[in-house]
Amino acid sequence: MAVEGEALTASGYIRHHLQNLTFGQHPDGSWGIAHGAEEASEMGFLALHLDTLFFSIGLAVLFLWFFHKVGKQASAGVPGAAQNFVEWIIDFINENVRGSFSGKNDLVAPLAATLFIWILLQNLMDLVPVDLIPWIATAIGIPYMKVVPTTDPNATFGMAIGVFILVLYYSFKMKGAKGFAAELTLHPFESKNPFVMVLFVPINLLLEGVNLLAKPVSHSLRLFGNLYAGEMIFILIALMYSGGIFIGAFGVVLQWAWAVFHVLIVLLQAFIFMVLTIVYLDMAHQVPDDH
Amino acid sequence: MSEANALLFIAGALMMGLGALGAAVGIGILGGRFLEGAARQPELIPMLRTQFFIVMGLVDAVPMIAVGIAFYVLFAVAG
């Protein structure tokens, strides 16, 4: 599976699998696809990961198309299998939003449903055999292909920063600029004495600021790290196929066992991303009683 | 093997070992408390199990990330 000029070694195989199909501007000024990690990093900030974009947008279109189709055909009579399935997912998300969101906002439940199903579909791409899609891509002339969009930090940071912008927006809207500033500066240290309180303000701002900024970082890195580790282990097990028939057969068993275990991680991480989104938005909606 | 390469292997081992150590203690305490709660109020088991899995997913993320990065260091960077 190596590109010409690249020796087929274990680390080369791993690096090849972890390289995104990057589109950007070459140092000489022309636009095109990067061949290798060095060229990709030379492109700098304005580079697009075509494979991440293709698979994430493709899965989003698939999800919207399927749910739209089922929603249009929904009947009050005996539901079909597809309608049952969609109703079950919507009920599940509805229950979770009701359980952890106390404010009043029509956006949160659809947002949670979109994030959960979209991330779940992206994560499920991990269960496609690691070599299958890159092999097809190589056959039609695409040198690099990283299939799982959530193993690209750009995708997970994109989603987490989207949620973070909503958190900031609703913090301003619900608490007002004054209330939001008070939340950032008047906790956790408080004092009755106004002079001591003035001293506490920068310390509180620092603590609360770090707390606020850590949210999108941990939110996205948690999803990325889990999926990246899972993908990494799939690739390493795939390396065993080159080790003779016995190690190869053992690799098949391991691949299956890891896939079964990975289904749990895939579901759990999509679920946790959704729950944290709901909780962060809930915190943004809570107006404190005093101050 | 050069010294820099050997250090990479030690780094990978530390990452995996220390990550697993912390998470093992954490998940052990979490599981113990879950059992205590379940024994005291068996009717709450479904609710507790959901919360248990949420927190376990949060804790489990850290060592899994460490394992992934350690494997990357061991096999792709050092190997």
Side-chain angles (χ1 to χ4, degrees):
Chain A
M1 276 278 297
V3 183
E4 284 102 292
E6 197 179 321
L8 188 58
T9 58
S11 58
Y13 175 81
I14 294 171
R15 271 191 223 114
H16 180 252
H17 260 288
L18 294 176
Q19 174 64 39
N20 277 104
L21 181 68
T22 314
F23 179 85
Q25 191 173 28
H26 289 295
D28 60 12
S30 63
W31 291 78
I33 287 166
H35 295 273
E38 291 84 19
E39 271 189 35
S41 62
E42 275 168 7
M43 284 174 178
F45 184 70
L46 278 177
L48 298 173
H49 286 172
L50 293 180
D51 45 1
T52 304
L53 285 171
F54 174 77
F55 282 107
S56 58
I57 293 172
L59 287 169
V61 168
L62 182 76
F63 149 57
L64 289 176
W65 169 78
F66 179 70
F67 273 56
H68 181 75
K69 196 182 90 149
V70 173
K72 275 207 142 176
Q73 290 171 348
S75 67
V78 180
Q83 193 188 335
N84 256 332
F85 177 66
V86 170
E87 280 181 2
W88 175 60
I89 294 179
I90 300 290
D91 268 348
F92 168 71
I93 290 161
N94 203 12
E95 214 171 275
N96 273 297
V97 175
R98 251 171 232 280
S100 22
F101 189 74
S102 55
K104 194 175 178 324
N105 192 338
D106 290 342
L107 182 93
V108 174
L111 175 73
T114 311
L115 279 176
F116 177 67
I117 300 160
W118 194 27
I119 294 173
L120 182 64
L121 283 174
Q122 294 182 27
N123 290 355
L124 281 174
M125 294 303 287
D126 220 358
L127 298 178
V128 177
V130 276
D131 266 334
L132 182 65
I133 294 176
W135 178 69
I136 296 170
T138 312
I140 58 173
I142 300 169
Y144 293 98
M145 184 60 68
K146 200 170 155 192
V147 178
V148 193
T150 41
T151 55
D152 183 351
N154 296 308
T156 61
F157 265 101
M159 287 185 283
I161 290 172
V163 171
F164 185 62
I165 290 170
L166 281 177
V167 167
L168 289 182
Y169 172 72
Y170 281 112
S171 291
F172 271 112
K173 200 179 166 196
M174 294 290 149
K175 298 166 187 163
K178 211 175 140 212
F180 190 40
E183 189 189 69
L184 287 178
T185 50
L186 302 180
H187 286 287
F189 297 114
E190 287 175 65
S191 172
K192 289 270 186 287
N193 187 334
F195 291 107
V196 183
M197 196 61 230
V198 168
L199 279 180
F200 278 153
V201 162
I203 304 173
N204 286 338
L205 184 63
L206 183 71
L207 286 174
E208 288 288 314
V210 168
N211 194 3
L212 187 71
L213 291 179
K215 277 178 194 166
V217 174
S218 69
H219 200 187
S220 55
L221 282 183
R222 178 174 298 113
L223 179 64
F224 160 71
N226 267 279
L227 271 293
Y228 184 79
E231 177 83 348
M232 189 74 212
I233 292 168
F234 273 124
I235 295 170
L236 285 173
I237 298 172
L239 274 178
M240 291 174 75
Y241 297 145
S242 60
I245 187 158
F246 288 109
I247 297 178
F250 185 54
V252 173
V253 175
L254 271 183
Q255 198 81 284
W256 178 81
W258 179 247
V260 171
F261 180 66
H262 203 61
V263 172
L264 176 75
I265 295 181
V266 158
L267 271 167
L268 206 58
Q269 289 307 321
F271 179 61
I272 284 175
F273 199 95
M274 178 191 81
V275 169
L276 284 178
T277 303
I278 299 170
V279 169
Y280 290 161
L281 282 171
D282 183 43
M283 283 155 77
H285 279 73
Q286 264 160 10
V287 184
D289 306 325
D290 46 350
H291 298 304
Chain B
M1 184 186 287
S2 71
E3 195 177 337
N5 228 2
L7 281 174
L8 282 175
F9 279 95
I10 292 173
L14 281 176
M15 253 188 268
M16 264 197 261
L18 293 180
L21 197 67
V25 174
I27 292 176
I29 294 174
L30 176 66
R33 292 284 153 82
F34 168 63
L35 287 178
E36 269 174 32
R40 198 168 294 154
Q41 276 166 303
E43 70 274 12
L44 287 185
I45 288 178
M47 193 270 280
L48 285 178
R49 195 187 289 127
T50 318
Q51 305 295 327
F52 170 76
F53 272 114
I54 292 175
V55 181
M56 203 190 81
L58 292 177
V59 176
D60 194 46
V62 180
M64 279 319 294
I65 294 166
V67 167
I69 296 173
F71 275 159
Y72 181 71
V73 168
L74 289 184
F75 291 94
V77 180

